[in-house]
Amino acid sequence: MITPGQRHESTQFERAMGEVRLRGRRGRPRCRPVALAGDKAYSDPRIRRWLARHGIRAVIPRRSDQRPGDGRVRFDSEAYRRRSVVEQCVG
């Protein structure tokens, strides 16, 4: 999906997630990943709620203007570091 330059890609989040098909060794493709890694721009309450409703673990750091985590939710920094491999390939 292509959006105009002034429009943030997170506005198309639900639509993009609806297109996900993860092929396994057998059977039909899954439609939901186990986790989703994204940069701070995706640290939006709407996106976090959508992920939680669909049982997808968010690997997204919180922005500085958002309230800090309450200790119950841990940020997986190792999984977030692996996200950079994909960023570099795309770049």
Side-chain angles (χ1 to χ4, degrees):
M1 288 164 269
I2 299 175
T3 59
Q6 72 275 16
R7 191 168 184 196
H8 195 275
E9 63 267 12
S10 69
T11 61
Q12 299 300 309
F13 175 78
E14 287 92 351
R15 184 174 166 208
M17 290 300 291
E19 299 294 321
V20 171
R21 299 295 177 265
L22 302 168
R23 299 207 186 281
R25 293 179 191 237
R26 55 190 139 142
R28 67 176 200 217
R30 290 183 305 137
C31 296
R32 300 283 181 246
V34 174
L36 181 114
D39 60 17
K40 289 181 181 183
Y42 287 89
S43 183
D44 183 74
R46 175 182 54 87
I47 291 174
R48 288 184 182 276
R49 280 191 305 270
W50 190 94
L51 291 171
R53 266 195 325 269
H54 291 88
I56 301 171
R57 184 170 51 97
V59 182
I60 305 169
R62 293 197 184 275
R63 294 189 318 253
S64 61
D65 65 339
Q66 294 175 323
R67 68 181 179 88
D70 57 7
R72 290 181 292 175
V73 178
R74 299 226 181 265
F75 176 67
D76 188 349
S77 58
E78 184 60 36
Y80 187 73
R81 274 189 225 114
R82 290 191 303 263
R83 170 194 158 274
S84 69
V85 173
V86 175
E87 277 289 323
Q88 292 167 6
C89 287
V90 171

Coordinates of all heavy atoms in Angstrom, one line a residue:
M1 N 0.8 -1.2 0.0 CA 0.0 0.0 0.0 C 0.9 1.2 0.0 O 1.9 1.3 0.7 CB -0.9 0.0 1.2 CG -2.0 -1.0 1.2 SD -2.7 -1.3 2.8 CE -1.7 -2.7 3.3
I2 N 0.5 2.2 -0.8 CA 1.3 3.4 -0.9 C 0.4 4.5 -0.4 O -0.8 4.6 -0.7 CB 1.7 3.7 -2.3 CG1 2.6 2.5 -2.8 CG2 2.4 5.0 -2.4 CD1 3.0 2.6 -4.3
T3 N 1.0 5.4 0.5 CA 0.3 6.5 1.1 C 1.0 7.8 0.6 O 2.2 7.7 0.3 CB 0.2 6.4 2.6 OG1 1.5 6.4 3.1 CG2 -0.6 5.2 3.1
P4 N 0.3 8.9 0.6 CA 1.0 10.2 0.3 C 2.1 10.4 1.3 O 2.0 10.0 2.5 CB -0.1 11.2 0.4 CG -1.4 10.4 0.4 CD -1.1 9.1 0.9
G5 N 3.1 11.2 0.9 CA 4.2 11.5 1.8 C 3.9 12.1 3.1 O 4.5 11.9 4.1
Q6 N 2.8 12.9 3.2 CA 2.5 13.6 4.4 C 1.6 12.8 5.3 O 1.3 13.2 6.4 CB 1.8 15.0 4.1 CG 0.4 14.8 3.5 CD 0.3 14.6 2.0 OE1 1.3 14.3 1.4 NE2 -0.8 14.8 1.4
R7 N 1.2 11.6 4.9 CA 0.3 10.7 5.7 C 1.2 9.6 6.3 O 1.9 8.9 5.6 CB -0.7 10.1 4.8 CG -1.8 9.4 5.5 CD -2.9 9.1 4.6 NE -4.0 8.5 5.4 CZ -5.0 7.8 4.8 NH1 -5.0 7.7 3.5 NH2 -5.9 7.3 5.5
H8 N 1.0 9.4 7.6 CA 1.8 8.4 8.3 C 1.4 7.0 8.0 O 0.2 6.8 7.9 CB 1.7 8.7 9.8 CG 2.8 7.9 10.6 ND1 2.7 6.6 10.9 CD2 4.0 8.3 10.9 CE1 3.8 6.2 11.5 NE2 4.6 7.2 11.6
E9 N 2.3 6.1 7.8 CA 2.0 4.7 7.4 C 1.2 4.0 8.5 O 0.5 3.0 8.2 CB 3.2 3.9 7.0 CG 4.2 3.7 8.1 CD 5.3 4.8 8.2 OE1 5.2 5.8 7.5 OE2 6.3 4.5 8.9
S10 N 1.2 4.5 9.7 CA 0.4 3.8 10.8 C -1.1 3.9 10.6 O -1.9 3.2 11.1 CB 0.8 4.3 12.2 OG 0.4 5.6 12.3
T11 N -1.5 4.9 9.7 CA -2.9 5.0 9.4 C -3.4 3.8 8.6 O -4.6 3.6 8.6 CB -3.2 6.3 8.6 OG1 -2.5 6.3 7.4 CG2 -2.8 7.6 9.4
Q12 N -2.6 3.1 8.0 CA -2.9 1.9 7.2 C -2.6 0.6 7.9 O -2.6 -0.5 7.3 CB -2.2 2.0 5.9 CG -2.5 3.2 5.0 CD -3.9 3.3 4.7 OE1 -4.5 2.3 4.2 NE2 -4.6 4.4 5.0
F13 N -2.4 0.7 9.2 CA -2.0 -0.5 10.0 C -3.0 -1.7 9.9 O -2.6 -2.8 9.5 CB -1.8 -0.1 11.5 CG -1.4 -1.2 12.3 CD1 -0.2 -1.8 12.3 CD2 -2.4 -1.8 13.1 CE1 0.1 -2.9 13.1 CE2 -2.1 -2.9 13.9 CZ -0.8 -3.4 13.9
E14 N -4.2 -1.4 10.2 CA -5.2 -2.5 10.2 C -5.4 -3.1 8.8 O -5.4 -4.3 8.6 CB -6.6 -2.0 10.7 CG -6.6 -1.8 12.2 CD -6.3 -0.3 12.5 OE1 -5.9 0.4 11.7 OE2 -6.5 0.0 13.7
R15 N -5.4 -2.3 7.8 CA -5.5 -2.7 6.4 C -4.3 -3.6 6.1 O -4.4 -4.7 5.5 CB -5.6 -1.6 5.5 CG -5.8 -1.9 4.1 CD -6.0 -0.7 3.2 NE -5.9 -1.1 1.8 CZ -5.5 -0.2 0.9 NH1 -5.3 1.0 1.2 NH2 -5.4 -0.6 -0.4
A16 N -3.1 -3.2 6.4 CA -1.9 -4.0 6.1 C -1.9 -5.3 6.9 O -1.6 -6.3 6.3 CB -0.6 -3.2 6.5
M17 N -2.3 -5.3 8.1 CA -2.3 -6.5 8.9 C -3.4 -7.5 8.4 O -3.2 -8.7 8.5 CB -2.6 -6.2 10.4 CG -1.5 -5.5 11.1 SD 0.1 -6.5 11.1 CE -0.4 -7.8 12.2
G18 N -4.4 -7.0 7.7 CA -5.4 -7.8 7.1 C -4.9 -8.6 5.9 O -5.4 -9.6 5.4
E19 N -3.7 -8.1 5.4 CA -3.1 -8.8 4.2 C -2.1 -9.8 4.6 O -1.5 -10.5 3.7 CB -2.5 -7.7 3.3 CG -3.5 -6.7 2.7 CD -4.5 -7.4 1.8 OE1 -4.1 -8.3 1.0 OE2 -5.7 -7.0 1.8
V20 N -1.8 -10.0 5.8 CA -0.7 -10.9 6.3 C -1.1 -12.3 6.1 O -2.2 -12.7 6.4 CB -0.4 -10.6 7.8 CG1 0.6 -11.7 8.3 CG2 0.2 -9.2 8.0
R21 N -0.2 -13.1 5.4 CA -0.3 -14.5 5.3 C 1.1 -15.1 5.5 O 2.0 -14.9 4.8 CB -0.8 -14.9 3.9 CG -2.1 -14.3 3.5 CD -3.2 -14.9 4.3 NE -4.5 -14.3 4.0 CZ -5.1 -13.3 4.6 NH1 -4.5 -12.7 5.6 NH2 -6.2 -12.8 4.3
L22 N 1.2 -15.9 6.6 CA 2.4 -16.5 7.0 C 2.4 -18.0 6.7 O 1.6 -18.7 7.2 CB 2.7 -16.3 8.5 CG 2.7 -14.9 9.0 CD1 2.6 -14.8 10.5 CD2 3.9 -14.2 8.5
R23 N 3.2 -18.4 5.7 CA 3.2 -19.8 5.3 C 4.0 -20.6 6.3 O 5.1 -20.3 6.7 CB 3.8 -19.9 3.9 CG 3.0 -19.1 2.9 CD 3.2 -19.7 1.5 NE 2.5 -18.9 0.5 CZ 1.2 -18.9 0.3 NH1 0.4 -19.6 1.0 NH2 0.7 -18.1 -0.7
G24 N 3.5 -21.8 6.6 CA 4.1 -22.7 7.4 C 4.6 -23.9 6.6 O 4.5 -23.9 5.4
R25 N 5.0 -24.9 7.3 CA 5.5 -26.1 6.5 C 4.3 -26.9 5.9 O 4.4 -27.5 4.9 CB 6.2 -27.1 7.5 CG 7.5 -26.5 7.9 CD 8.2 -27.4 8.9 NE 9.3 -26.7 9.5 CZ 10.6 -27.1 9.4 NH1 10.9 -28.2 8.8 NH2 11.5 -26.4 10.0
R26 N 3.2 -26.8 6.6 CA 2.0 -27.5 6.0 C 0.7 -26.8 6.5 O 0.8 -26.0 7.4 CB 1.9 -28.9 6.4 CG 2.0 -29.2 7.8 CD 2.2 -30.7 8.1 NE 3.2 -30.8 9.1 CZ 3.2 -31.7 10.1 NH1 2.3 -32.6 10.1 NH2 4.1 -31.7 11.0
G27 N -0.4 -27.1 5.9 CA -1.6 -26.4 6.2 C -1.8 -25.1 5.6 O -0.9 -24.6 4.8
R28 N -2.9 -24.4 5.9 CA -3.1 -23.1 5.3 C -2.3 -22.1 6.0 O -2.0 -22.2 7.2 CB -4.6 -22.8 5.3 CG -5.2 -22.6 6.7 CD -6.6 -22.2 6.5 NE -7.0 -21.6 7.7 CZ -8.2 -21.8 8.3 NH1 -9.1 -22.5 7.7 NH2 -8.5 -21.2 9.4
P29 N -2.0 -21.0 5.4 CA -1.2 -19.9 6.0 C -2.0 -19.3 7.2 O -3.2 -19.1 7.2 CB -1.1 -18.9 4.9 CG -1.4 -19.6 3.6 CD -2.4 -20.7 4.0
R30 N -1.2 -18.9 8.2 CA -1.7 -18.2 9.3 C -1.9 -16.7 8.9 O -1.2 -16.2 8.1 CB -0.7 -18.2 10.5 CG -0.6 -19.5 11.1 CD 0.3 -19.5 12.4 NE 1.6 -18.9 12.0 CZ 2.3 -18.0 12.7 NH1 1.8 -17.6 13.9 NH2 3.4 -17.6 12.4
C31 N -2.9 -16.1 9.6 CA -3.2 -14.7 9.3 C -2.6 -13.7 10.4 O -2.7 -12.5 10.2 CB -4.7 -14.5 9.2 SG -5.4 -15.3 7.8
R32 N -2.1 -14.3 11.4 CA -1.6 -13.4 12.5 C -0.2 -13.9 13.0 O 0.0 -15.1 13.2 CB -2.6 -13.6 13.8 CG -4.0 -13.2 13.5 CD -4.1 -11.6 13.5 NE -5.5 -11.3 13.2 CZ -5.9 -10.7 12.1 NH1 -5.1 -10.4 11.2 NH2 -7.2 -10.4 12.0
P33 N 0.7 -12.9 13.1 CA 2.0 -13.3 13.6 C 1.9 -13.4 15.1 O 1.0 -13.0 15.8 CB 2.8 -12.0 13.2 CG 1.9 -10.9 13.2 CD 0.6 -11.5 12.7
V34 N 3.0 -14.0 15.7 CA 3.1 -14.2 17.1 C 3.4 -12.8 17.8 O 2.9 -12.5 18.8 CB 4.1 -15.2 17.5 CG1 4.3 -15.3 19.0 CG2 3.8 -16.5 16.9
A35 N 4.3 -12.0 17.1 CA 4.7 -10.7 17.6 C 4.8 -9.8 16.5 O 5.0 -10.2 15.3 CB 6.0 -10.8 18.4
L36 N 4.7 -8.5 16.8 CA 4.9 -7.5 15.7 C 5.9 -6.4 16.3 O 5.7 -5.9 17.4 CB 3.6 -6.8 15.4 CG 3.8 -5.7 14.4 CD1 3.1 -6.1 13.1 CD2 3.3 -4.4 14.9
A37 N 7.0 -6.2 15.6 CA 8.0 -5.2 16.0 C 7.8 -3.9 15.1 O 7.6 -4.0 13.9 CB 9.4 -5.8 15.8
G38 N 7.9 -2.8 15.8 CA 7.7 -1.6 15.1 C 8.5 -0.5 15.8 O 8.8 -0.6 17.0
D39 N 8.7 0.6 15.1 CA 9.4 1.7 15.8 C 8.4 2.5 16.7 O 7.2 2.2 16.7 CB 10.1 2.6 14.8 CG 9.2 3.3 13.8 OD1 8.0 3.3 14.0 OD2 9.8 3.7 12.8
K40 N 8.9 3.6 17.3 CA 8.1 4.4 18.2 C 6.9 5.0 17.6 O 5.9 5.3 18.3 CB 8.9 5.4 18.9 CG 9.9 4.9 19.9 CD 10.7 6.0 20.5 CE 11.7 5.4 21.5 NZ 12.5 6.5 22.2
A41 N 6.9 5.2 16.3 CA 5.8 5.8 15.6 C 4.5 4.9 15.7 O 3.4 5.4 15.6 CB 6.1 6.0 14.1
Y42 N 4.8 3.6 15.9 CA 3.6 2.7 16.0 C 3.2 2.5 17.5 O 2.3 1.7 17.8 CB 4.0 1.3 15.4 CG 4.0 1.4 13.9 CD1 5.2 1.7 13.3 CD2 2.9 1.1 13.2 CE1 5.2 1.8 11.9 CE2 2.9 1.2 11.8 CZ 4.1 1.6 11.2 OH 4.1 1.7 9.8
S43 N 3.8 3.3 18.4 CA 3.4 3.2 19.8 C 2.2 4.0 20.0 O 2.2 5.0 20.7 CB 4.5 3.6 20.7 OG 4.2 3.5 22.1
D44 N 1.1 3.6 19.4 CA -0.2 4.4 19.5 C -1.2 3.5 20.3 O -1.2 2.3 20.0 CB -0.7 4.6 18.1 CG -1.9 5.4 18.1 OD1 -1.9 6.6 18.3 OD2 -3.0 4.9 17.8
P45 N -1.9 4.0 21.2 CA -2.9 3.2 21.9 C -3.8 2.4 21.0 O -4.1 1.3 21.3 CB -3.7 4.2 22.8 CG -2.8 5.4 22.9 CD -2.0 5.4 21.6
R46 N -4.3 3.0 19.9 CA -5.2 2.3 19.0 C -4.5 1.0 18.5 O -5.1 -0.1 18.4 CB -5.5 3.2 17.8 CG -6.4 2.6 16.8 CD -6.6 3.5 15.6 NE -5.5 4.2 15.1 CZ -4.7 3.6 14.1 NH1 -5.0 2.5 13.6 NH2 -3.7 4.3 13.7
I47 N -3.2 1.1 18.1 CA -2.5 0.0 17.5 C -2.2 -1.0 18.6 O -2.4 -2.2 18.4 CB -1.2 0.5 16.9 CG1 -1.5 1.2 15.6 CG2 -0.2 -0.7 16.6 CD1 -0.3 1.9 14.9
R48 N -1.8 -0.6 19.8 CA -1.6 -1.5 20.9 C -2.9 -2.3 21.3 O -2.8 -3.5 21.6 CB -1.0 -0.8 22.1 CG 0.4 -0.3 21.9 CD 1.0 0.3 23.1 NE 2.3 0.8 22.9 CZ 3.4 0.0 23.0 NH1 3.3 -1.3 23.4 NH2 4.6 0.5 22.8
R49 N -4.0 -1.6 21.3 CA -5.3 -2.3 21.6 C -5.6 -3.3 20.5 O -6.0 -4.4 20.8 CB -6.4 -1.3 21.7 CG -6.5 -0.6 23.0 CD -7.8 0.2 23.1 NE -8.0 1.2 22.0 CZ -7.6 2.4 22.0 NH1 -6.9 2.9 23.0 NH2 -7.9 3.2 21.0
W50 N -5.4 -3.0 19.2 CA -5.7 -3.9 18.2 C -4.8 -5.2 18.3 O -5.3 -6.3 18.2 CB -5.4 -3.2 16.8 CG -5.9 -4.0 15.7 CD1 -7.1 -3.9 15.0 CD2 -5.2 -5.1 15.0 NE1 -7.2 -4.8 14.0 CE2 -6.0 -5.6 14.0 CE3 -3.9 -5.7 15.1 CZ2 -5.6 -6.6 13.1 CZ3 -3.5 -6.7 14.3 CH2 -4.4 -7.1 13.3
L51 N -3.5 -5.0 18.6 CA -2.6 -6.1 18.8 C -3.1 -7.0 20.0 O -3.1 -8.2 19.9 CB -1.2 -5.6 19.0 CG -0.5 -5.0 17.8 CD1 0.8 -4.3 18.2 CD2 -0.3 -6.0 16.7
A52 N -3.4 -6.4 21.1 CA -3.8 -7.1 22.2 C -5.1 -7.9 22.0 O -5.3 -9.1 22.3 CB -4.1 -6.2 23.4
R53 N -6.1 -7.3 21.3 CA -7.3 -8.0 20.9 C -7.1 -9.2 20.1 O -7.8 -10.2 20.1 CB -8.3 -7.0 20.1 CG -9.2 -6.3 21.0 CD -10.4 -5.7 20.2 NE -10.0 -5.2 18.9 CZ -9.6 -3.9 18.6 NH1 -9.5 -3.0 19.6 NH2 -9.3 -3.5 17.4
H54 N -6.0 -9.2 19.2 CA -5.8 -10.3 18.3 C -4.7 -11.2 18.9 O -4.2 -12.1 18.1 CB -5.4 -9.7 16.9 CG -6.5 -9.1 16.2 ND1 -6.8 -7.8 16.4 CD2 -7.4 -9.6 15.4 CE1 -7.9 -7.5 15.7 NE2 -8.3 -8.6 15.1
G55 N -4.3 -11.0 20.1 CA -3.3 -11.9 20.7 C -1.9 -11.8 20.1 O -1.2 -12.8 20.1
I56 N -1.5 -10.6 19.7 CA -0.2 -10.4 19.1 C 0.6 -9.6 20.0 O 0.2 -8.6 20.5 CB -0.3 -9.7 17.7 CG1 -1.2 -10.5 16.7 CG2 1.1 -9.4 17.1 CD1 -1.6 -9.8 15.5
R57 N 1.8 -10.1 20.3 CA 2.7 -9.4 21.3 C 3.3 -8.2 20.6 O 3.9 -8.3 19.5 CB 3.8 -10.4 21.7 CG 4.8 -9.8 22.8 CD 5.7 -10.9 23.3 NE 6.3 -11.7 22.3 CZ 7.6 -11.4 21.8 NH1 8.3 -10.5 22.4 NH2 8.1 -12.2 20.9
A58 N 3.2 -7.1 21.2 CA 3.8 -5.8 20.7 C 5.3 -5.7 21.1 O 5.6 -5.7 22.3 CB 3.0 -4.6 21.2
V59 N 6.1 -5.5 20.1 CA 7.6 -5.3 20.4 C 7.8 -3.9 19.9 O 8.4 -3.6 18.8 CB 8.5 -6.3 19.7 CG1 9.9 -6.0 20.0 CG2 8.1 -7.7 20.1
I60 N 7.3 -2.9 20.6 CA 7.3 -1.5 20.2 C 7.7 -0.7 21.4 O 7.0 -0.7 22.4 CB 5.9 -1.0 19.7 CG1 5.4 -1.9 18.6 CG2 5.9 0.4 19.3 CD1 3.9 -1.7 18.2
P61 N 8.7 0.1 21.3 CA 9.1 0.9 22.5 C 8.1 2.1 22.7 O 7.5 2.5 21.7 CB 10.5 1.5 22.1 CG 10.5 1.4 20.6 CD 9.7 0.3 20.2
R62 N 7.9 2.5 23.9 CA 7.0 3.6 24.2 C 7.7 4.9 23.8 O 8.9 5.1 24.1 CB 6.6 3.6 25.6 CG 5.7 2.4 25.9 CD 4.9 2.6 27.2 NE 4.2 1.5 27.6 CZ 3.0 1.2 27.1 NH1 2.4 2.0 26.3 NH2 2.4 0.1 27.5
R63 N 6.9 5.9 23.3 CA 7.4 7.2 23.1 C 7.6 7.9 24.4 O 7.0 7.6 25.4 CB 6.5 8.0 22.2 CG 6.3 7.5 20.8 CD 5.5 8.4 19.9 NE 4.4 9.0 20.6 CZ 3.1 8.6 20.3 NH1 2.8 7.7 19.5 NH2 2.1 9.2 21.0
S64 N 8.5 8.9 24.5 CA 8.7 9.7 25.7 C 7.5 10.4 26.2 O 7.4 10.7 27.4 CB 9.9 10.6 25.5 OG 9.6 11.6 24.5
D65 N 6.6 10.8 25.3 CA 5.4 11.5 25.8 C 4.3 10.6 26.3 O 3.2 11.1 26.6 CB 4.9 12.4 24.6 CG 4.4 11.6 23.4 OD1 4.8 10.5 23.3 OD2 3.6 12.2 22.7
Q66 N 4.5 9.3 26.3 CA 3.5 8.3 26.8 C 3.9 7.9 28.2 O 5.1 7.9 28.6 CB 3.5 7.1 25.9 CG 2.9 7.4 24.5 CD 3.0 6.2 23.6 OE1 3.9 5.4 23.7 NE2 1.9 6.1 22.8
R67 N 2.9 7.5 29.0 CA 3.2 7.1 30.3 C 4.1 5.9 30.3 O 3.9 5.0 29.5 CB 2.0 6.9 31.2 CG 1.1 5.8 30.8 CD -0.1 5.7 31.6 NE -0.9 4.6 31.2 CZ -0.8 3.3 31.7 NH1 0.1 3.1 32.6 NH2 -1.6 2.4 31.2
P68 N 5.0 5.8 31.2 CA 5.9 4.6 31.3 C 5.1 3.3 31.6 O 4.0 3.4 32.2 CB 6.9 4.9 32.3 CG 6.2 5.9 33.2 CD 5.3 6.7 32.3
G69 N 5.7 2.2 31.3 CA 5.1 0.9 31.6 C 5.0 0.8 33.1 O 5.7 1.4 33.9
D70 N 4.0 0.0 33.5 CA 3.8 -0.2 34.9 C 4.5 -1.4 35.5 O 4.2 -1.8 36.6 CB 2.3 -0.3 35.2 CG 1.6 -1.4 34.4 OD1 2.3 -2.2 33.8 OD2 0.4 -1.5 34.5
G71 N 5.4 -2.0 34.7 CA 6.1 -3.2 35.2 C 5.5 -4.5 34.8 O 6.2 -5.5 34.8
R72 N 4.2 -4.5 34.5 CA 3.5 -5.7 34.1 C 3.9 -6.1 32.7 O 3.9 -7.3 32.4 CB 2.0 -5.6 34.3 CG 1.6 -5.6 35.7 CD 0.1 -5.5 35.8 NE -0.3 -4.2 35.3 CZ -1.6 -3.8 35.1 NH1 -2.5 -4.6 35.4 NH2 -1.9 -2.6 34.7
V73 N 4.1 -5.1 31.9 CA 4.5 -5.4 30.5 C 6.0 -5.1 30.3 O 6.4 -4.0 30.5 CB 3.7 -4.5 29.5 CG1 4.0 -4.7 28.1 CG2 2.2 -4.7 29.7
R74 N 6.7 -6.1 29.9 CA 8.1 -6.0 29.6 C 8.4 -5.7 28.2 O 7.8 -6.3 27.3 CB 8.9 -7.2 30.1 CG 8.7 -7.5 31.6 CD 10.0 -7.8 32.2 NE 9.9 -8.1 33.6 CZ 10.1 -7.3 34.5 NH1 10.3 -6.0 34.2 NH2 10.0 -7.6 35.8
F75 N 9.3 -4.9 27.9 CA 9.7 -4.6 26.5 C 10.8 -5.6 26.1 O 11.9 -5.7 26.8 CB 10.2 -3.1 26.4 CG 10.7 -2.8 25.0 CD1 9.9 -2.8 24.0 CD2 12.1 -2.5 24.8 CE1 10.3 -2.5 22.7 CE2 12.5 -2.2 23.6 CZ 11.7 -2.2 22.5
D76 N 10.7 -6.3 25.0 CA 11.7 -7.3 24.6 C 12.7 -6.6 23.7 O 12.6 -6.5 22.5 CB 10.9 -8.4 23.8 CG 11.8 -9.5 23.5 OD1 13.1 -9.4 23.6 OD2 11.3 -10.6 23.0
S77 N 13.8 -6.1 24.3 CA 14.8 -5.3 23.6 C 15.5 -6.2 22.6 O 16.0 -5.7 21.6 CB 15.7 -4.6 24.6 OG 16.3 -5.5 25.4
E78 N 15.7 -7.4 22.9 CA 16.4 -8.3 22.0 C 15.6 -8.5 20.7 O 16.2 -8.5 19.6 CB 16.7 -9.7 22.7 CG 17.5 -10.6 21.9 CD 18.9 -10.1 21.5 OE1 19.5 -9.4 22.3 OE2 19.3 -10.4 20.4
A79 N 14.4 -8.8 20.8 CA 13.5 -8.9 19.6 C 13.5 -7.6 18.8 O 13.5 -7.6 17.6 CB 12.1 -9.3 20.0
Y80 N 13.5 -6.5 19.5 CA 13.5 -5.2 18.9 C 14.8 -5.0 18.1 O 14.8 -4.4 17.0 CB 13.3 -4.1 19.9 CG 13.1 -2.7 19.2 CD1 11.9 -2.4 18.6 CD2 14.1 -1.8 19.3 CE1 11.8 -1.2 18.0 CE2 14.0 -0.5 18.7 CZ 12.8 -0.2 18.0 OH 12.6 1.0 17.4
R81 N 15.9 -5.4 18.6 CA 17.2 -5.3 17.9 C 17.2 -6.1 16.6 O 17.8 -5.7 15.6 CB 18.4 -5.8 18.8 CG 18.9 -4.7 19.7 CD 20.1 -5.1 20.4 NE 20.0 -4.7 21.8 CZ 19.9 -5.5 22.8 NH1 20.0 -6.8 22.7 NH2 19.7 -5.0 24.0
R82 N 16.6 -7.3 16.7 CA 16.5 -8.1 15.4 C 15.7 -7.4 14.4 O 15.9 -7.7 13.2 CB 15.9 -9.5 15.8 CG 16.9 -10.3 16.6 CD 16.4 -11.8 16.7 NE 15.1 -11.9 17.2 CZ 14.8 -12.2 18.5 NH1 15.8 -12.4 19.4 NH2 13.6 -12.3 18.9
R83 N 14.8 -6.5 14.7 CA 14.0 -5.8 13.8 C 14.9 -4.9 12.9 O 14.6 -4.7 11.7 CB 13.0 -4.9 14.6 CG 12.3 -3.9 13.7 CD 11.6 -2.8 14.7 NE 11.3 -1.6 14.0 CZ 12.2 -0.6 13.8 NH1 13.4 -0.7 14.3 NH2 11.9 0.4 13.1
S84 N 16.0 -4.5 13.4 CA 16.9 -3.6 12.6 C 17.4 -4.3 11.4 O 17.8 -3.7 10.4 CB 18.0 -3.1 13.5 OG 18.9 -4.1 13.8
V85 N 17.6 -5.6 11.4 CA 18.0 -6.4 10.3 C 17.1 -6.2 9.1 O 17.5 -5.9 8.0 CB 18.2 -7.9 10.6 CG1 18.5 -8.7 9.4 CG2 19.2 -8.1 11.7
V86 N 15.8 -6.2 9.3 CA 14.8 -6.0 8.3 C 14.9 -4.6 7.8 O 14.9 -4.3 6.6 CB 13.4 -6.3 8.8 CG1 12.4 -6.0 7.8 CG2 13.3 -7.8 9.2
E87 N 15.0 -3.6 8.7 CA 15.1 -2.2 8.4 C 16.3 -2.0 7.4 O 16.1 -1.2 6.4 CB 15.3 -1.3 9.6 CG 14.1 -0.9 10.4 CD 13.2 0.1 9.7 OE1 13.6 1.0 9.0 OE2 12.0 -0.1 9.8
Q88 N 17.4 -2.6 7.7 CA 18.6 -2.3 6.9 C 18.5 -3.0 5.5 O 18.9 -2.4 4.6 CB 19.8 -2.9 7.6 CG 20.1 -2.0 8.9 CD 21.1 -2.7 9.8 OE1 21.7 -3.7 9.5 NE2 21.4 -2.1 11.0
C89 N 17.8 -4.1 5.5 CA 17.6 -4.8 4.2 C 16.6 -3.9 3.3 O 16.9 -3.8 2.1 CB 17.0 -6.2 4.4 SG 18.1 -7.4 5.0
V90 N 15.6 -3.4 3.9 CA 14.7 -2.5 3.1 C 15.4 -1.2 2.7 O 15.2 -0.8 1.6 CB 13.4 -2.2 4.0 CG1 12.6 -1.1 3.3 CG2 12.6 -3.5 4.2
G91 N 16.2 -0.7 3.6 CA 16.9 0.6 3.3 C 17.9 0.4 2.2 O 18.2 1.2 1.4

